[in-house]
Amino acid sequence: MTPTTHAASIASAPAFPLEQWYVAGFSWELKSAPVARTLLGHPVVLFRTADGKVAALEDRCCHRELPLSCGTVEDRGLRCGYHGLLFDHGGRCLEVPGQERIPPKACVKSFVLRERDQILWIWMGATPDSVPAQEPPAYEVHGDPAYRFGGDVYHYDAPYQLIHDNLLDLSHLGYVHLKTIGGNASVHMNAELKLSQQGDSVKVVRWMPDSEPPPTYSAAWPFQGRIDRWQEVEFHPSHVRIWTGAMDRGTDRLDNPQRQGFHMRGFHGVTPETETSAHYFWTIATNPHPQMQDPTQLVIDQTAATFEEDKVVIEAQFRNQQRFGARPVVDIHVDAGPNRARRVIERLRTAGARAGEGASA
Ligand code: FES
Ligand SMILES: [Fe+2]
């Protein structure tokens, strides 16, 4: 195999593709208080106004630069916590306490934020006048009555692409996640893998027919014995969808899109915070079996434990990359999916660099 290095190779390209919808948060995070979050290197404040509109503003008051996230959400917008300037969802100043005239420059930058299927999507763009050509992606699982779900937001002290690598290579389950969704390491490492690509989307499919159910599966579903197990990982530049599951051995085809059995459907929004840190927005959905106690909370708890295990590995991996500096690494068979996704990101970053040049010309 050819040695490769993961060091950035395009000096002028942005660290991440910017012409993308990225996950900024989940709907249930926006309650009465504003949420501060640095996204793609920009400090942003997220909030919801009384009429239900969601908003994303630069987290800097234009008066004396207090983070607006220190302020309070009111019916009409977000009030700064220092001298009380009030801003609407578009960043326009509506009120200066004690002064009638609103200075024309009293506004803060706003970002396009959309709420869809309980996911908040932000468009930051490569240039100031960049606008999305289409609405953010749907995620129907969150509204599908066959499924129940929960999720969380994790902060990573590691670059976002290490999370992509991890999600696109599920062979690590047999080593990292033995207590939950793991199973036999050699079954994982020898599973047949099908890799395909459509535009910017990369798909990795792995089948593990006739295998032992791992602990989470057995606890959630009344399997009779051995199982036919699948993993379908669908990478997009800003998020990954993973459909895993299993059915009793020999009961259906593993390529039947309507196949029954135990399902776990994962949504994984991977949004860079900075070049060396990331936000990981995840949900896990499952289809409770009618004769079993609802396993949703168990699946959520075990998924959380699983993702904590990933976080430990990925952050240790990044610390070591920093300790040793950019040195060649060796590829093995499990890297086909991650490497393909890295090529997509590289191409989009290069395209972003060209868009930026166009804007500054
Ligand atoms: S710093 Fe925000 S109102 Fe003064
Ligand atoms: Fe993992």
Side-chain angles (χ1 to χ4, degrees):
M1 299 266 177
T2 321
T4 55
T5 175
H6 288 160
S9 59
I10 308 169
S12 59
F16 2 88
L18 296 171
E19 293 284 301
Q20 299 287 329
W21 286 107
Y22 280 97
V23 180
F26 288 121
S27 294
W28 59 85
E29 291 187 276
L30 297 189
K31 297 188 181 118
S32 55
V35 171
R37 194 159 276 156
T38 295
L39 304 164
L40 309 171
H42 290 275
V44 171
V45 56
L46 309 167
F47 63 100
R48 186 191 297 278
T49 50
D51 57 3
K53 277 199 190 110
V54 294
L57 303 180
E58 196 168 69
D59 197 8
R60 173 191 176 273
C61 179
C62 59
H63 174 229
R64 287 296 182 267
E65 303 182 282
L66 185 73
L68 286 170
S69 52
C70 299
T72 47
V73 180
E74 297 190 357
D75 283 356
R76 291 188 298 153
L78 181 59
R79 190 177 294 280
C80 180
Y82 205 168
H83 313 94
L85 266 64
L86 178 67
F87 299 93
D88 71 7
H89 67 275
R92 200 163 54 103
C93 181
L94 301 177
E95 190 187 318
V96 178
Q99 175 177 316
E100 241 168 65
R101 194 182 76 93
I102 296 175
K105 287 188 181 161
C107 61
V108 296
K109 182 175 168 53
S110 65
F111 300 95
V112 179
L113 189 72
R114 294 272 188 280
E115 184 171 29
R116 190 166 192 192
D117 298 322
Q118 303 211 44
I119 300 167
L120 303 171
W121 295 92
I122 195 165
W123 181 273
M124 301 187 86
T127 60
D129 54 358
S130 162
V131 283
Q134 50 209 352
E135 287 299 300
Y139 189 61
E140 292 86 355
V141 175
H142 282 171
D144 186 331
Y147 291 96
R148 299 196 59 203
F149 76 95
D152 206 348
V153 183
Y154 287 3
H155 180 268
Y156 263 77
D157 283 318
Y160 73 115
Q161 285 188 280
L162 292 185
I163 305 176
H164 290 164
D165 292 348
N166 174 277
L167 295 172
L168 279 152
D169 156 32
L170 296 185
S171 68
H172 74 266
L173 266 61
Y175 294 98
V176 181
H177 305 311
L178 280 175
K179 288 192 230 105
T180 52
I181 53 170
N184 184 297
S186 114
V187 171
H188 278 289
M189 294 308 276
N190 291 306
E192 189 191 342
L193 180 149
K194 288 197 202 88
L195 176 66
S196 58
Q197 182 171 357
Q198 258 196 322
D200 295 340
S201 174
V202 174
K203 191 165 184 184
V204 176
V205 176
R206 293 169 81 236
W207 288 346
M208 286 163 285
D210 194 11
S211 54
E212 282 293 324
T216 303
Y217 284 42
S218 298
W221 199 262
F223 290 113
Q224 302 300 307
R226 293 177 72 79
I227 57 172
D228 291 338
R229 187 174 174 189
W230 70 85
Q231 297 171 329
E232 295 191 4
V233 182
E234 195 181 295
F235 164 88
H236 301 269
S238 65
H239 67 288
V240 181
R241 297 159 190 238
I242 302 184
W243 180 26
T244 56
M247 52 201 170
D248 283 317
R249 182 178 57 171
T251 49
D252 199 354
R253 293 169 53 101
L254 278 165
D255 61 357
N256 177 4
Q258 308 302 329
R259 58 194 181 271
Q260 303 294 307
F262 171 61
H263 294 191
M264 288 172 70
R265 287 189 182 265
F267 174 86
H268 312 255
V270 183
T271 305
E273 178 187 51
T274 66
E275 291 189 28
T276 56
S277 59
H279 302 289
Y280 180 42
F281 303 93
W282 64 267
T283 66
I284 193 77
T286 192
N287 54 336
H289 188 281
Q291 269 101 53
M292 296 268 292
Q293 198 185 345
D294 184 348
T296 308
Q297 196 54 48
L298 171 108
V299 167
I300 295 167
D301 291 347
Q302 298 216 348
T303 300
T306 299
F307 292 169
E308 296 279 0
E309 290 169 336
D310 284 315
K311 184 168 148 66
V312 168
V313 167
I314 291 170
E315 291 184 338
Q317 181 190 9
F318 181 52
R319 282 195 299 277
N320 225 25
Q321 288 183 343
Q322 290 175 303
R323 193 158 60 161
F324 285 94
R327 286 184 26 186
V329 292
V330 174
D331 285 353
I332 63 168
H333 62 108
V334 303
D335 303 310
N339 284 351
R340 187 72 74 90
R342 280 183 175 269
R343 286 203 286 279
V344 170
I345 295 285
E346 193 83 344
R347 176 166 48 74
L348 295 171
R349 288 175 57 229
T350 315
R354 282 199 292 272
E357 279 161 21
S360 56

